[in-house]
Amino acid sequence: MSLLKKATIRHSLFIILIFIVLTTLRLLWLAYFLPSSEQSIAQEGVFDLREHQLSDKEVLNLDGEWLYYPGLLIDPINTDHNKSLQSFEQATRVIPMQDHEATAERYGTYRLKILLNDNAPKDNRYAVEIPSVSTASALYINGKLVEQSGTVATDPHSHKGQTAPYTFYFTNEQPEIDLLLHVSNFDTSAGPIIDKRILFGSAAAMANHQLINNLSLATISITLLLFALFSSLVFLFIYLKPIVLLFTIGFLLPLADELISYDQSMLNWLHLDYVWTFKLSTIIYLGASFFFVQFMRVLLVKYHHAKCFQWLFAFYALSAFFTVILPINWLYTIISLYFILYVIPFLSVVVLALREYLENQKQSTAFIALTALGTMNGIIWGYIKFICAFDIPMYPFDYLFIILGFSGYWFKRFFENKEQINQLIAKLQKDDALKDEFLSSSSQKLWDPMNKMVTLGQSIYDNPNNKLMADDKQNLKHLIDIGRSMSFTLNDILDFTRLKEGNLHLHKKNVSVQSIVYGVFDMLRFITSEKQIQMNSTIPRSFPNVVADENRLIQILFNLLHNAIKYTSAGSIKISAHIENNMAVIHIHDTGSGMDDDIQSRLFSPYEQRNDNNDGIGLGLLISKKLIELHGGTLQIHSIPNKGSDVFFTLSLAEENVNEEQAYIEEEDMHLPIEEDNSSPTMEKQFKILMVDDDPVNLTIMRSLFATTEYAVTTVTSSEKALELLPQDDWDLVIIDAMLPYISGYALIEIIREHYSLLELPVLILTARNCSEDVYTGFAHGANDYVTKPINSLELKVRSRALIDLKYSINQRLHLETAWLQAQIQPHFLFNTLNSIASLSTIDTDRMIDLMHHFGEYLHASFDVRNLQRVVPLKDELELVRSYLYINQQRFGDLLNIEWDIDDTINIEIPPISLQTLVENAICHGVLKQEEGGTVCIRIKDFPDHVAVSVIDDGVGIDSSILDELQSGSHSPNSGVGLRNTDLRLKRIYGQRLQINSTLNEGTTITFHIPKK
């Protein structure tokens, strides 16, 4: 036998066992409450208890033959003395009646005499319970009206139907009890019949009987109410789906059905007549069964969409419709059909539930089968009660089994779902780890191609020889900025992975917030260049330091400011700070678009970002929050849509007068021997280094690294002081910390570059991070090299020495270029001048002597050692030019006219042999190319910030192709040596090139500007 068949047999036996248990419980309940076989039976209107002693535990059924007077309501007061009763029709009827035959009489009287035991106490209390009688009844005991349901009458106008049961407790001192029950029925065709048992017993027995009924009803009611309440709470707070309301209604309708079945007088508060009370109770009965079938269908996974359920829905809808529109007599006729059709859907659901259990053989479906068994057992016994007219106390175990099945099913599904959720969580955690690993590895792999693209784009953008259109060049700049933005995203991914893994460690020290703020401002200038945004800080100079990892504090401010810039198209971003509870509170205010509550609730979720922006991946704020929390602070955001945001975070204040061990220089490198290269050409002098850092301790440490015999180191703690010292000496190197207050290191480098070229004054920048945005910002502002903190002492010295040697080598090269320029000029000019002297010796000796005098001055000025310097006084250069022009005027006579336009009191320095080269170019390649000659004008004008030096001629001009080559800086042979060398020297020294304007056959103007210090 296969395992499947064995399992099916095992589960089938389990179902049979449950059904047997339910049936056994029902039989035991019946055995306990049914009357004993010795109970008396009423005969011809007499119920004889003279031989029976009433107990306090047994309630008797007044079954048997009752006297019945059809069409007569007996006067209860004159029953014993009114002999005329014998003239009326008298019959016996068996109660409870089984046949509901239609009769012509609409009212009548039932009468029964109960003969009590002679030994019964005279003051013993008794009780009579009258069931729901169709459709009005009135109970008389010993001639006295004690209870009634509805209004009994002999005509339909006075009659009022009601089927509420009632119980009356009384004391009887006589040996017999006379019961009269008036009934009337003008509502249905069945007549005044009694189809349920009338109960009688001692008051204690009746109270015990009703207590059991009430407790059973209360148990069922409370259970159903709790389940309905549970479903409602699930709908309101957990699962807002209409299907959950189906369960709520499915529990409330059976509760209403049970309450109405127990006592229909509960519907009296609606003030309905008997007909509509009957119809409403029937609809509730149908609704209870319909909703039970519906949520059983929901629980059936495999047969959820079975076609039979569609037919069942149609059946219930038609039944409810007919219940409303049909007359009550018709409803009485088809009510048994309702019951049969009511049983069929339940049995269908039961069969499907048991079938699913046998097919799936899961524990959750076993609980559905248990529910189905309890339902089926209740239906079968309900039908048996209906056929056999059993009237026993309410049986709660079917409902308890149903509730147990539902509860077990839900608990089992809960644990199954929990196990499934745990499996999914484990899978998600694994996938999340794989995702983080993938992002981390991918970001690292993207670094290299991204840097290559940015570097290549930057080289194209900076190449002066490219001929890109202005729009294309601007688009290229946007592409470079986008590439740099990608580096922010890659950094965020790596940091987020480290934070999740707990591999991110802080190196805290005392940090100046002002320095960090201004440094980050300059790092973000390239983003704000296209926006009208003002970034400023109101943090006072006296604001104390904070305890933080400088690297991470830069990252925090960078991310927060970057986010503010992203959502601010125009306006301002302001950083302020104050002290609260011994913590520094730093605010970042912006006037951007702001955020609503929904966006703010999702801000710190990974990979979340606003819907109106797709830049980045939504990690910046989360990383900043985590980093701040690692520092022991908190991050909060207050934002108003369309008005801006206030992001503020807290950091611990640094303690005063704490001798903190600085991690500025790596300790393991502090005592490393540094081998000096004694062959360096720069060993001949003591080099001057200017160090700028806002921390005096850092300056002291760095200064100690440079030997005083070789280096003259000057230290300052602010950019303002550095700018004061720069023009006062000839510095060989400037070392600047990137994070300086008010004027950051980046801004200081930019100011330096306005007066000194990259080769004229090398700058080494100290950055806290080795990130692309830090390094790029330093180079973009004009730094020659960088060193990251904590500083490696050997690296700092080697890089500093390399920059100093580079400057020395460049100076030597400039000297050689000057000498080369002299060599290029002298052979050409000397030959022509000597020929002129030789010619004058025969025709005009005075002019010859004068020419030789100026020629000597020219040679003395040309070979002066001061020409090897970077710049010389303007008056020295003018003396050289005047000597040169005098010689040429003597040679060419009227063909060469000279005009001087020089402002007085100009006292500047210019590169040597620069003006003379331009004048020579104007003479040789301009005016002397024309047969009639021309005029050369030397114009030197004083302006507030610079001096403009121009050489103007009215010669042949320069061809456009040659002019383009000159302006592009290309080294074409056609461009000439003199102009090219002069252009290169001016660019190196001042960062500016020659400005050449020329028109063919009209002349040329060449201008350069000397900035004022």
Side-chain angles (χ1 to χ4, degrees):
M1 184 179 295
S2 65
L3 294 176
L4 180 61
K5 290 183 178 180
K6 289 182 179 179
T8 302
I9 294 174
R10 184 172 66 254
H11 288 88
S12 299
L13 292 175
F14 171 74
I15 292 172
I16 295 172
L17 176 63
I18 293 297
F19 192 79
I20 292 173
V21 170
L22 291 174
T23 304
T24 303
L25 288 175
R26 174 75 71 165
L27 293 174
L28 291 175
W29 190 264
L30 285 174
Y32 180 79
F33 287 101
L34 282 178
S36 63
S37 57
E38 300 178 355
Q39 178 184 314
S40 302
I41 300 296
Q43 295 180 354
E44 294 184 355
V46 177
F47 193 77
D48 191 356
L49 294 178
R50 288 176 295 182
E51 302 297 331
H52 187 84
Q53 185 68 38
L54 293 176
S55 68
D56 292 339
K57 296 182 179 180
E58 184 179 17
V59 176
L60 303 178
N61 298 328
L62 298 181
D63 297 344
E65 297 176 348
W66 284 53
L67 296 179
Y68 177 63
Y69 300 89
L72 177 63
L73 299 179
I74 300 176
D75 184 0
I77 299 176
N78 301 318
T79 52
D80 292 335
H81 306 286
N82 193 349
K83 303 300 184 180
S84 61
L85 284 176
Q86 297 179 359
S87 62
F88 288 94
E89 180 181 355
Q90 178 179 317
T92 59
R93 280 192 176 180
V94 176
I95 295 180
M97 295 184 62
Q98 300 298 322
D99 298 326
H100 299 175
E101 300 177 354
T103 59
E105 297 81 9
R106 301 285 83 193
Y107 56 92
T109 302
Y110 289 89
R111 183 177 184 183
L112 180 68
K113 283 189 177 182
I114 303 174
L115 303 180
L116 300 175
N117 192 309
D118 295 334
N119 296 325
K122 300 299 182 180
D123 56 351
N124 197 12
R125 287 184 58 80
Y126 302 95
V128 175
E129 180 182 286
I130 305 298
S132 55
V133 176
S134 300
T135 58
S137 64
L139 176 63
Y140 295 86
I141 299 179
N142 296 328
K144 182 179 179 181
L145 177 63
V146 293
E147 284 287 352
Q148 64 180 5
S149 173
T151 302
V152 179
T154 58
D155 60 274
H157 301 290
S158 303
H159 167 83
K160 181 180 179 180
Q162 187 179 2
T163 57
Y166 47 88
T167 303
F168 180 70
Y169 293 85
F170 62 97
T171 301
N172 186 68
E173 298 179 354
Q174 304 296 325
E176 62 180 38
I177 300 173
D178 187 15
L179 299 181
L180 281 180
L181 187 62
H182 289 179
V183 294
S184 63
N185 182 3
F186 291 92
D187 301 304
T188 68
S189 60
I193 62 174
I194 301 175
D195 55 359
K196 297 180 181 179
R197 289 185 169 84
I198 298 175
L199 304 181
F200 173 77
S202 64
M206 187 64 70
N208 182 62
H209 175 83
Q210 291 187 338
L211 177 62
I212 294 175
N213 268 335
N214 292 335
L215 288 176
S216 300
L217 181 62
T219 301
I220 295 172
S221 301
I222 292 173
T223 304
L224 292 174
L225 278 174
L226 289 176
F227 272 81
L229 178 61
F230 171 76
S231 301
S232 301
L233 294 176
V234 170
F235 172 77
L236 291 175
F237 301 107
I238 300 177
Y239 194 67
L240 198 64
K241 297 293 183 179
I243 191 66
V244 181
L245 290 179
L246 180 69
F247 284 86
T248 302
I249 299 173
F251 289 119
L252 290 177
L253 284 177
L255 172 62
D257 181 40
E258 292 296 333
L259 292 176
I260 293 172
S261 298
Y262 179 72
D263 187 358
Q264 288 195 357
S265 61
M266 295 181 179
L267 293 176
N268 288 343
W269 61 274
L270 294 175
H271 301 289
L272 300 176
D273 59 16
Y274 173 79
V275 174
W276 281 106
T277 301
F278 180 79
K279 289 186 176 184
L280 180 59
S281 61
T282 303
I283 292 174
I284 291 174
Y285 175 76
L286 288 171
S289 60
F290 168 73
F291 279 99
F292 178 82
V293 172
Q294 287 300 308
F295 63 68
M296 282 294 291
R297 177 183 65 85
V298 172
L299 299 180
L300 294 174
V301 178
K302 186 174 182 179
Y303 299 103
H304 181 75
H305 299 289
K307 290 184 178 180
C308 64
F309 289 111
Q310 300 177 2
W311 291 102
L312 293 178
F313 178 80
F315 156 71
Y316 281 110
L318 288 175
S319 299
F321 175 73
F322 287 134
T323 301
V324 173
I325 64 171
L326 289 179
I328 192 169
N329 291 330
W330 288 31
L331 289 177
Y332 262 91
T333 304
I334 65 172
I335 196 68
S336 57
L337 180 62
Y338 272 14
F339 183 80
I340 295 174
L341 294 177
Y342 168 71
V343 171
I344 292 175
F346 267 80
L347 293 179
S348 300
V349 172
V350 168
V351 171
L352 292 177
L354 295 177
R355 183 175 178 182
E356 181 167 314
Y357 168 62
L358 292 175
E359 291 177 354
N360 294 340
Q361 298 179 358
K362 293 183 178 180
Q363 293 183 357
S364 58
T365 56
F367 289 107
I368 298 179
L370 182 63
T371 302
L373 287 172
T375 306
M376 185 172 65
N377 189 72
I379 293 172
I380 293 174
W381 281 100
Y383 187 71
I384 294 174
K385 286 172 60 179
F386 176 77
I387 297 299
C388 302
F390 285 149
D391 188 15
I392 59 176
M394 182 171 291
Y395 180 72
F397 294 106
D398 288 337
Y399 272 104
L400 292 179
F401 267 87
I402 294 171
I403 296 302
L404 178 62
F406 278 130
S407 302
Y409 173 79
W410 283 330
F411 275 109
K412 187 59 184 177
R413 284 297 300 271
F414 171 77
F415 287 111
E416 288 178 353
N417 290 339
K418 183 179 179 182
E419 182 179 357
Q420 185 179 8
I421 290 172
N422 290 335
Q423 293 175 356
L424 290 174
I425 290 174
K427 185 177 183 300
L428 287 174
Q429 290 174 339
K430 181 180 179 180
D431 293 342
D432 186 59
L434 292 174
K435 178 261 298 177
D436 290 339
E437 181 181 351
F438 170 76
L439 289 175
S440 178
S441 61
S442 298
S443 61
Q444 293 174 354
K445 292 177 182 178
L446 288 173
W447 267 108
D448 184 56
M450 182 201 68
N451 287 329
K452 289 179 179 177
M453 288 189 296
V454 173
T455 304
L456 182 60
Q458 190 68 47
S459 65
I460 297 173
Y461 181 82
D462 295 334
N463 186 3
N465 296 325
N466 67 53
K467 298 180 180 179
L468 294 174
M469 300 293 291
D471 291 342
D472 293 337
K473 196 168 184 179
Q474 186 64 29
N475 290 335
L476 180 60
K477 184 178 184 301
H478 289 324
L479 288 176
I480 296 170
D481 292 341
I482 292 171
R484 295 193 190 103
S485 298
M486 286 181 62
S487 68
F488 308 154
T489 301
L490 296 178
N491 284 335
D492 287 343
I493 294 174
L494 292 173
D495 287 337
F496 181 65
T497 304
R498 295 189 191 105
L499 284 169
K500 289 188 66 176
E501 295 175 353
N503 294 332
L504 197 149
H505 304 286
L506 301 179
H507 303 282
K508 295 182 181 180
K509 64 175 185 177
N510 291 357
V511 179
S512 169
V513 178
Q514 302 95 318
S515 304
I516 303 297
V517 167
Y518 285 95
V520 175
F521 276 172
D522 288 322
M523 291 168 62
L524 290 166
R525 296 291 181 194
F526 79 94
I527 300 178
T528 60
S529 60
E530 302 297 327
K531 295 185 176 184
Q532 298 178 351
I533 299 176
Q534 294 292 330
M535 294 191 297
N536 60 81
S537 170
T538 60
I539 302 176
R541 291 178 180 269
S542 59
F543 195 82
N545 291 348
V546 297
V547 179
D549 185 322
E550 183 180 7
N551 189 348
R552 296 304 174 182
L553 182 55
I554 294 173
Q555 183 178 2
I556 291 168
L557 285 170
F558 186 94
N559 285 342
L560 297 180
L561 283 170
H562 185 272
N563 192 72
I565 293 170
K566 187 190 305 182
Y567 297 108
T568 304
S569 57
S572 65
I573 298 175
K574 182 179 72 174
I575 294 185
S576 61
H578 66 276
I579 299 174
E580 183 178 328
N581 297 328
N582 201 32
M583 298 285 285
V585 184
I586 302 169
H587 290 260
I588 300 176
H589 306 262
D590 67 70
T591 58
S593 58
M595 297 169 287
D596 56 26
D597 293 339
D598 179 61
I599 295 175
Q600 292 185 57
S601 66
R602 297 184 284 109
L603 275 182
F604 299 114
S605 299
Y607 310 107
E608 279 286 347
Q609 54 187 345
R610 286 174 48 167
N611 297 328
D612 56 352
N613 193 293
N614 293 320
D615 295 340
I617 57 174
L619 287 177
L621 278 177
L622 176 61
I623 291 173
S624 298
K625 182 175 183 293
K626 296 293 184 183
L627 289 175
I628 291 169
E629 290 173 350
L630 282 178
H631 282 82
T634 58
L635 172 66
Q636 298 182 51
I637 296 178
H638 291 163
S639 183
I640 300 175
N642 303 319
K643 290 189 178 181
S645 302
D646 177 18
V647 181
F648 57 96
F649 61 95
T650 59
L651 292 173
S652 299
L653 291 173
E655 296 182 7
E656 297 181 358
N657 301 324
V658 175
N659 187 14
E660 183 187 61
E661 181 181 355
Q662 299 290 331
Y664 198 75
I665 304 292
E666 291 184 0
E667 294 182 2
E668 60 270 25
D669 297 320
M670 288 293 292
H671 306 292
L672 288 177
I674 302 176
E675 297 182 1
E676 301 292 347
D677 185 5
N678 295 326
S679 62
S680 173
T682 62
M683 291 293 292
E684 301 173 0
K685 59 173 288 188
Q686 188 182 40
F687 300 101
K688 297 179 180 180
I689 300 177
L690 178 62
M691 293 182 179
V692 189
D693 196 317
D694 61 332
D695 191 338
V697 177
N698 295 340
L699 289 174
T700 302
I701 296 174
M702 287 194 297
R703 185 173 185 172
S704 66
L705 299 177
F706 295 88
T708 57
T709 57
E710 187 177 353
Y711 301 96
V713 180
T714 302
T715 60
V716 293
T717 56
S718 68
S719 299
E720 293 89 340
K721 294 180 180 178
L723 291 174
E724 293 176 2
L725 291 177
L726 278 172
Q728 298 178 10
D729 212 333
D730 186 14
W731 303 99
D732 295 292
L733 177 66
V734 180
I735 300 176
I736 302 175
D737 186 13
M739 301 298 160
L740 295 173
Y742 305 103
I743 299 178
S744 73
Y746 301 119
L748 178 58
I749 296 173
E750 193 170 357
I751 296 173
I752 291 175
R753 287 294 165 250
E754 294 176 359
H755 303 280
Y756 302 91
S757 67
L758 285 166
L759 301 176
E760 185 179 4
L761 181 56
V763 175
L764 179 68
I765 191 168
L766 307 177
T767 65
R769 307 188 301 169
N770 192 19
C771 298
S772 60
E773 56 266 26
D774 299 57
V775 176
Y776 164 76
T777 304
F779 285 130
H781 284 80
N784 295 75
D785 203 352
Y786 74 97
V787 173
T788 57
K789 306 176 195 175
I791 293 173
N792 183 300
S793 59
L794 178 60
E795 180 185 11
L796 178 63
K797 289 200 64 176
V798 169
R799 289 182 181 269
S800 299
R801 191 56 174 268
L803 291 177
I804 293 173
D805 289 347
L806 177 63
K807 179 191 175 184
Y808 185 86
S809 300
I810 293 299
N811 286 335
Q812 294 297 320
R813 181 182 175 185
L814 289 174
H815 294 164
L816 292 175
E817 286 182 355
T818 304
W820 181 44
L821 187 58
Q822 292 172 345
Q824 294 294 322
I825 297 173
Q826 288 167 2
H828 170 74
F829 183 69
L830 286 175
F831 178 77
N832 291 322
T833 304
L834 290 174
N835 284 337
S836 298
I837 293 173
S839 300
L840 289 173
S841 66
T842 58
I843 59 175
D844 191 343
T845 56
D846 292 335
R847 288 178 60 194
M848 179 194 72
I849 294 172
D850 195 23
L851 179 59
M852 289 182 65
H853 174 72
H854 282 86
F855 182 56
E857 290 181 351
Y858 172 76
L859 291 177
H860 179 269
S862 297
F863 290 99
D864 194 334
V865 294
R866 289 179 298 179
N867 289 339
L868 298 178
Q869 298 177 359
R870 186 174 68 94
V871 291
V872 295
L874 176 61
K875 63 182 183 63
D876 294 344
E877 182 72 7
L878 288 176
E879 290 178 1
L880 176 64
V881 172
R882 285 190 175 97
S883 298
Y884 174 77
L885 289 174
Y886 178 83
I887 295 171
N888 279 284
Q889 281 182 316
Q890 294 299 319
R891 290 178 56 200
F892 300 109
D894 295 337
L895 293 177
L896 179 62
N897 296 316
I898 305 298
E899 294 181 359
W900 298 89
D901 185 9
I902 302 175
D903 289 344
D904 296 335
T905 68
I906 295 179
N907 184 20
I908 62 169
E909 294 181 336
I910 67 172
I913 318 180
S914 56
L915 180 58
Q916 189 269 342
T917 303
L918 301 182
V919 171
E920 180 183 0
N921 182 78
I923 294 174
C924 297
H925 301 287
V927 297
L928 294 182
K929 291 290 185 179
Q930 302 178 127
E931 294 182 0
E932 68 277 13
T935 301
V936 176
C937 176
I938 295 93
R939 179 177 296 164
I940 303 177
K941 293 295 180 181
D942 191 11
F943 291 93
D945 58 344
H946 69 277
V947 173
V949 180
S950 302
V951 177
I952 308 167
D953 70 78
D954 56 359
V956 297
I958 303 175
D959 184 79
S960 59
S961 60
I962 299 176
L963 184 61
D964 290 341
E965 291 177 358
L966 289 171
Q967 292 177 339
S968 66
S970 61
H971 295 173
S972 172
N974 297 329
S975 61
V977 176
L979 283 181
R980 179 160 51 89
N981 279 275
T982 302
D983 185 57
L984 290 173
R985 285 192 297 151
L986 289 171
K987 184 179 179 182
R988 287 174 185 148
I989 296 174
Y990 304 115
Q992 302 179 16
R993 301 180 57 188
L994 291 173
Q995 302 174 18
I996 304 175
N997 295 316
S998 181
T999 305
L1000 284 177
N1001 302 319
E1002 291 185 8
T1004 303
T1005 300
I1006 302 178
T1007 304
F1008 64 91
H1009 294 164
I1010 306 297
K1012 291 183 177 180
K1013 295 185 179 180

